[in-house]
Amino acid sequence: MKRSIFIFLILYCLFFTGCWNYREINEMQLVTAAAIDYDGGNDKYFVTVEVFNPQHMGSHDSGGLLYSTGESVFDCFRNLILRSGRRLYWGHTEIFIVSREVAERSLLPILDILFRDAEVRDDMLIFVAEEDNASDILRLGRHKLHGLAGFHIEDVIKAESSISKYRRMPAWKFIQSMYAQGPASTLPLIKLDRSGEKEIPKVGGTAVFEGDKLVGTLDETETRSLLWILDELKGGVFVVPVKDGGKAEEVTLEIFESKTDTKAVYAGNQVTMKIHVETTVNIEEIGGTTDYMDEKKMMHLKKDGEARIEKEIKNVIGKVQREFAADVFKFSTVIQDEMPKVWREIEPNWHETFKKLPVNVQVTLKIRGSALMGKPIKISR
């Protein structure tokens, strides 16, 4: 009897069990990246998706682009199915690009549609295109190493810690920031690098949002300062022009570690932000013959480096306050945490308060040595 039951269970498992939502891989196309544009003249959206066909891996048919237009983003997505002839699988989509015009209109409807789909990854990365059309990033940026622009962009993202020219922003974090009281949201910018023989996607800079609408952008240098303020700087290099008596020479410093402490001080019925940055660097390149291993020269470099960082940080704070009035620096979060009573008083008028908020910046630069020879190379003739 027991043997009969055992045989029955084996046969049942073989023929009557399986995944309820299992789909054959040749029944779908995997979406690796997507881009959305808006045609204001015709009041229509334009969607481009980059697809990967696993069953054709290694051949010229392994990937391609699909296009769709519609009166709404949802309409575009539905039309994509008709064009592809197969169901699109969004579970592997890591790159999502929107045009500047789409970002200026509103991102909320797009995000709402995307994340109603249980297959969409909440860690998908969203970018704002600096090109006229977001679709150009996928259409023209198909890199020869990968064949697909989405894969190349993923490789660029992996090098983030050594670049520090953009701020990584997964979709879940961007959505969460839109609901926060006070702080503004950001997304990285993406464009096509046309400096070489082939146009390739390049990530750098920051798109600044107030709510779900784009209000302005920061370049790569300004983005580095933003990362400094947010205590999110992980690496990178910066150049310090040093002038000691004679003509100025440029010294390249590599960032090894950085720590930023931001506090709010309330005095005389006024809130003031105090930022202290402590950064450790190494000398990587000297554009002259000065020996910065000399103690006095080293102190001169340290002073000029601190002044350079302080200036860049103050410049980006001033720009954001004047032009965007968007708290990308999370000053409101600091005030809420440290002075909840004061925050309740200034919250209703925070937008105006932020524009005039005094900010003090102090920088401490630690130069731990040089990756070069002890002394710079000098030519005798």
Side-chain angles (χ1 to χ4, degrees), residues 321-333:
Q321 287 179 315
R322 289 190 312 271
E323 300 181 20
F324 312 148
D327 181 19
V328 293
F329 312 116
K330 298 185 179 180
F331 291 157
S332 54
T333 302

Side-chain angles (χ1 to χ4, degrees), residues 163-377:
I163 297 176
S164 293
K165 294 183 179 179
Y166 59 92
R167 188 180 181 216
R168 184 186 182 95
M169 185 60 63
W172 69 266
K173 192 173 182 179
F174 179 75
I175 294 172
Q176 187 181 68
S177 68
M178 287 196 302
Y179 288 100
Q181 294 295 320
S185 310
T186 66
L187 288 175
L189 295 171
I190 188 169
K191 63 181 179 181
L192 289 172
D193 184 355
R194 296 179 170 87
S195 60
E197 296 181 0
K198 192 175 182 68
E199 297 170 309
I200 60 175
K202 178 184 177 183
V203 180
T206 301
V208 178
F209 287 78
E210 185 64 33
D212 67 332
K213 294 181 175 63
L214 176 70
V215 294
T217 61
L218 302 176
D219 63 26
E220 293 179 1
T221 299
E222 293 165 337
T223 296
R224 183 179 61 199
S225 297
L226 171 64
L227 294 174
W228 246 314
I229 297 168
L230 293 172
D231 194 26
E232 294 180 6
L233 193 72
K234 299 177 181 178
V237 298
F238 70 102
V239 178
V240 179
V242 182
K243 188 172 183 179
D244 186 12
K247 63 178 182 179
E249 61 184 26
E250 294 185 339
V251 179
T252 302
L253 303 177
E254 181 182 9
I255 300 167
F256 279 94
E257 57 183 0
S258 186
K259 176 66 179 175
T260 301
D261 185 31
T262 302
K263 294 185 178 299
V265 178
Y266 188 71
N269 202 34
Q270 171 72 60
V271 177
T272 300
M273 304 306 300
K274 291 191 174 183
I275 300 173
H276 179 237
V277 176
E278 187 174 295
T279 301
T280 302
V281 300
N282 204 52
I283 300 174
E284 284 298 317
E285 183 178 349
I286 300 174
T289 58
T290 302
D291 179 12
Y292 289 103
M293 293 300 100
D294 176 81
E295 185 176 351
K296 289 184 178 180
K297 301 295 184 182
M298 180 77 78
M299 289 302 297
H300 194 92
L301 172 60
K302 169 181 162 67
K303 182 180 177 181
D304 285 359
E306 290 172 343
R308 181 62 178 257
I309 297 171
E310 180 182 334
K311 181 181 178 181
E312 290 185 357
I313 290 176
K314 286 182 176 179
N315 284 346
V316 76
I317 293 173
K319 175 179 177 176
V320 172
Q321 287 179 315
R322 289 190 312 271
E323 300 181 20
F324 312 148
D327 181 19
V328 293
F329 312 116
K330 298 185 179 180
F331 291 157
S332 54
T333 302
V334 176
I335 299 171
Q336 289 178 59
D337 293 342
E338 297 182 0
M339 305 173 179
K341 184 178 179 180
V342 173
W343 170 250
R344 286 192 293 270
E345 293 175 0
I346 66 176
E347 180 183 3
N349 199 35
W350 172 244
H351 190 76
E352 293 300 318
T353 301
F354 172 76
K355 291 194 289 187
K356 302 176 182 178
L357 188 67
V359 183
N360 296 331
V361 180
Q362 180 186 356
V363 178
T364 301
L365 189 63
K366 296 182 178 180
I367 305 175
R368 72 181 195 183
S370 172
L372 307 174
M373 298 171 59
K375 295 180 182 293
I377 299 173

